[in-house]
Amino acid sequence: MSLFAIDPGTTESAYVVLNDDGRVAEKGILLNDWVLLMLELTLQPSDRIVIEMVACYGMPVGAETFETCVWIGRFLQKVYPHPVELLTRNEVKMALCQRVAGVNDAILRRRLIDLYGPGRATANGSKLKPGPLYGIKSHMWSALALGVAALSRNESERQEVGSE
């Protein structure tokens, strides 16, 4: 079983595929149409899917947020009837840091490095000696945080879309 974690964007999305034990099996940033194709070609019935969901935090949003919502819907449609977990950014922060206030991308990245480390040298490694997070960059960090949060969630806490 694998867990596909997707951090959706307006034109491209980051993804990380985690094994049961949390090891990164695959990662990347692809155009959204390629993410759809990847899901179609590689998804197995036993795999889990988690997608970061947009949430309202009381601030105005622009067209990019709505375009991201469209892509979330397209990803859901592509994998239907496969159940999908939708986690908000705040749920990821709570799962990894046990708090929301004051947690930003840098703190989440540090937490992930600590989980896969200890320390950046062990977690990221180098070209000659790659660590488990070698090559993670940009929005892949958000996808990784999403996947790790989903793995850490208790079965009873999961809210799945498409399952009955």
Side-chain angles (χ1 to χ4, degrees), residues 16-106:
V16 172
V17 179
L18 298 174
N19 294 328
D20 282 341
D21 60 3
R23 286 181 298 124
V24 177
E26 191 177 334
K27 62 192 175 297
I29 299 174
L30 296 173
L31 292 173
N32 287 335
D33 286 328
W34 287 99
V35 174
L36 289 173
L37 185 61
M38 178 193 67
L39 288 169
E40 181 179 339
L41 296 176
T42 62
L43 191 64
Q44 300 297 313
S46 63
D47 291 339
R48 287 174 59 189
I49 306 164
V50 60
I51 301 173
E52 186 170 321
M53 185 60 183
V54 175
C56 176
Y57 298 113
M59 298 296 292
V61 295
E64 292 172 347
T65 300
F66 294 109
E67 184 65 24
T68 300
C69 290
V70 168
W71 278 104
I72 292 169
R74 291 194 66 193
F75 295 146
L76 289 170
Q77 182 181 26
K78 176 57 75 178
V79 300
Y80 180 81
H82 202 101
V84 177
E85 298 169 61
L86 298 173
L87 294 180
T88 65
R89 190 73 169 165
N90 280 349
E91 290 172 315
V92 171
K93 291 176 181 181
M94 281 299 294
L96 294 180
C97 300
Q98 289 71 51
R99 63 186 172 98
V100 173
V103 177
N104 57 23
D105 287 346

Side-chain angles (χ1 to χ4, degrees), residues 9 13 16 51 69 86 94 107 110 112 117 122 136-137 147:
S13 296
V16 172
I51 301 173
C69 290
L86 298 173
M94 281 299 294
I107 291 172
R110 179 79 242 162
L112 291 167
T122 304
I136 300 282
K137 60 184 179 185

